[in-house]
Amino acid sequence: MARSSVYGGKLICKRRRPKSQFLNLPEDIQCKVLSELPLKEATRTSILSSEWGSVQSVHPRLRFDGATMCGGRTAAGSKQYTQEFVQNVNAVLQKHNGMFVEDFEVKFEFERELVVHLDNWIRFVADSQTKNLAFDLVPDEFRGRHDRYALPAELLGCRSMSRLRSIQLSFVSIKLPPCFNGFPNLRKLDLHLVHVTAKDLQDMLSSCSNLEWLSIVRCHLEDELKVDHPLSCLLHLHIAYCEITKIQFNAVKLKTFVYRGEWLPIDLTQSSELKDVHLYLDDFITLEFALTTFPTALPTVQNLTLKAAAPLKMPGLLENPRKFSQLKYLHLDLMIIYEDAGNILSLASYLRAAPLIEKLELHFGSFALPHYGQEPIRSLPGCRLNYLKNLNVMGFMGSMGQLELLLHAVENAPALEVLTLDPACRRNVDHQGRKYFTEMVREIGIKHLGERVLPTTKLCVL
């Protein structure tokens, strides 16, 4: 819309700034739109129109971190930085006092000066009926630090905390009060660098009857992690680098299990729907141990990833390995020392232990000399792999052990559709040397495998 005026005999039209159509929306819709923005962006909307001030001041998703709340005006880690962060957080919370806040997240390095304020923010969470809580207080240098922020015990026993649906806690300590009401509505629990006793953790988990997702990282119990109470909704379990002696859960619907650290006894035999397992182990896992332990501990697994150092002391097959009765996908990421490179053929024991396997990925993380043809290639008795369709080898060096294993698989897999060889690149040579090495390995792969694969099998050498 334009407004006309006459100046110097000329008609001049001045255009008015159009009124924002956003303000024509109902207030609850405006709040909904702004709630989807990060707090920093929602706050900036007040610049666009003074009429938006009352709308943007209330935001049901509050996420506070140093960079957002301090904006680089003071040096991170300084006393002034902490004071500015606290003041700005408190100013925002004052505007939301007595209101519903769906998400509440704090990400800031823990300092003792924060304890009083953190206690007040936890009380705010309890009063605002928050559904999703995240306290990430991990310092940049957390190793050697034994202090933690202690969650107020009286608030853990508060009934309003039972409304929480998601909890993420890092660098805190938990001590359950005698009147702990549990978290009956909790769906997701993420604990990182948390100090808690085995009993308190077990009691807390036993109270989470609707828990679907659980991650426990660097929480050292020095005891068993044993939850006998049924967690009938638990679908995903992740445990990493925890000093515990045993893992035992009663989770019948568990679908995915991820474990990182040294091997320890694991009892998930009641998880009859467990399909996906990822084991990233820090210790040495022998062939004998793997094929006598894993099939028993993980009887229903269909997709298995195993990363470990693997000493191979035997050149042939393991006698009578236990069977993975449902395994269809196997990813072996193995560190094999140079002295054991000649025994790679023994990995065929994994194939014998998985009669239904459809896809095999092998990742070799060690160096072995290419096979130049001086020594004869050994073979093993036949073992039908009727369901194997895809075989992928990363870190292929054309060594005799690798060729022996691949030939065994190819000759016993009538349904094999794709064989992929990804040559390893040596890092201690220049570009020209790497190119020469890769071409040589490629030629070795084609020479020994090209004529042995079926016409229906596609051989891909990358």
Side-chain angles (χ1 to χ4, degrees), residues 44-105:
R44 286 178 174 174
T45 59
S46 60
I47 301 174
L48 303 178
S49 173
S50 59
E51 299 178 62
W52 287 23
S54 61
V55 177
Q56 64 85 27
S57 62
V58 179
H59 196 273
R61 291 183 172 87
L62 302 180
R63 298 180 175 92
F64 305 109
D65 63 80
T68 300
M69 303 309 295
C70 300
R73 292 181 291 273
T74 53
S78 65
K79 185 176 181 180
Q80 293 80 4
Y81 187 77
T82 303
Q83 290 175 345
E84 183 177 357
F85 178 77
V86 170
Q87 290 172 359
N88 289 339
V89 171
N90 287 337
V92 174
L93 298 189
Q94 183 64 36
K95 294 181 179 180
H96 292 77
N97 187 34
M99 298 180 181
F100 166 70
V101 173
E102 184 171 356
D103 299 347
F104 188 92
E105 178 180 336

Side-chain angles (χ1 to χ4, degrees), residues 102 112 133-135 158 226 261 311 385 418 427:
E102 184 171 356
R112 292 189 181 278
L133 169 66
F135 264 32
C158 178
K226 183 178 180 180
L385 305 170
V418 180
R427 299 179 181 178

Side-chain angles (χ1 to χ4, degrees), residues 329-340:
Y329 167 72
L330 176 62
H331 180 189
L332 295 176
D333 188 344
L334 303 177
M335 177 61 68
I336 300 171
I337 62 175
Y338 177 77
E339 291 75 10
D340 289 344

Side-chain angles (χ1 to χ4, degrees), residues 115-131:
V115 171
V116 173
H117 304 287
L118 291 169
D119 287 348
N120 290 334
W121 298 344
I122 286 289
R123 293 187 182 92
F124 174 88
V125 168
D127 293 339
S128 60
Q129 303 180 31
T130 296
K131 292 183 179 180

